[in-house]
Amino acid sequence: QVLVAAHLAFSPGRHETRRAMVSPAMKKWEFNLDCGAKLPSALGSTMHMGDSDGSSVAMKNKKDNIKALQEKKAWEVALGPIKQVGMQLFMLWMSGSSPGIFSVMIMSMLISSSVSQLGQLTTAFEKFDQVETVLQKLVFALTLVAALAFVLYHASNMGLVPTQTGDWVSYMEPKHMAEHVVPMSAH
């Protein structure tokens, strides 16, 4: 066996010389750099063995990480309608306050999108089976209801929703007078 010195650079200012064992059976450019020194394992390359009962710390940590990730993603889904509110407010502002074809189309699109998202409440959160999503569902639903209420308020201000008393005049019965005035004849 022949001893060969190998010059290794670990960082810009630090150089280390190690001796490597080269056997005659090895090819010309193969070096065996293992001379008994214990190097630390690379990150992620070590595996933890489980306890005697089959449970392991790594599996518990993995389940906790998956649970935390699912909770984070559930909050992202719950806060999704809030991100749309700015766009919806801008669209309503651009549509104006007069009842025109474009403003009516924009309002009907916003109403239908809010109602359809409310209808998909359970399907939006069914993929988060490992976490409790009651609070996220509540935030999701309240955000959509608030957006729907604002759109209906805007429609009411435009005169498209019958909320004033003048809108219901045709359904009011005329008042019957209890007294009648009869003109007096002049004699």
Side-chain angles (χ1 to χ4, degrees):
Q1 291 186 352
V2 180
L3 289 174
V4 176
H7 189 68
L8 302 173
F10 289 105
S11 64
R14 183 175 154 205
H15 300 288
E16 184 175 314
T17 303
R18 292 195 178 198
R19 296 195 176 264
M21 301 294 287
V22 179
S23 66
M26 296 178 107
K27 292 184 179 178
K28 185 177 179 181
W29 293 104
E30 289 185 17
F31 293 100
N32 183 4
L33 296 177
D34 185 27
C35 50
K38 179 76 174 157
L39 295 176
S41 299
L43 291 176
S45 65
T46 58
M47 296 179 59
H48 299 285
M49 298 305 291
D51 298 277
S52 61
D53 62 350
S55 64
S56 72
V57 176
M59 291 301 290
K60 184 178 182 290
N61 288 339
K62 185 177 178 181
K63 287 181 182 179
D64 290 342
N65 289 341
I66 290 173
K67 194 172 187 179
L69 181 64
Q70 279 193 349
E71 187 168 349
K72 181 181 175 186
K73 291 294 182 181
W75 276 112
E76 287 179 8
V77 170
L79 298 177
I82 291 176
K83 296 175 184 177
Q84 297 174 358
V85 168
M87 179 195 63
Q88 291 177 352
L89 291 176
F90 180 73
M91 288 172 62
L92 283 175
W93 178 70
M94 290 298 288
S95 69
S97 61
S98 63
I101 186 72
F102 291 111
S103 58
V104 171
M105 284 178 15
I106 288 173
M107 286 181 36
S108 63
M109 187 261 312
L110 296 177
I111 290 172
S112 67
S113 69
S114 295
V115 170
S116 68
Q117 284 182 352
L118 274 174
Q120 296 173 354
L121 179 69
T122 55
T123 58
F125 289 97
E126 71 183 7
K127 60 184 170 186
F128 306 113
D129 56 349
Q130 293 184 1
V131 292
E132 185 66 33
T133 58
V134 173
L135 188 58
Q136 288 92 341
K137 287 179 182 178
L138 183 66
V139 168
F140 186 82
L142 287 178
T143 303
L144 290 173
V145 167
L148 188 61
F150 181 75
V151 170
L152 291 176
Y153 171 75
H154 188 72
S156 173
N157 286 343
M158 288 173 54
L160 298 176
V161 179
T163 56
Q164 304 296 325
T165 55
D167 297 327
W168 301 98
V169 170
S170 63
Y171 296 108
M172 298 173 89
E173 293 196 20
K175 291 185 179 180
H176 297 287
M177 301 303 230
E179 297 179 14
H180 294 285
V181 176
V182 179
M184 293 179 62
S185 53
H187 294 149

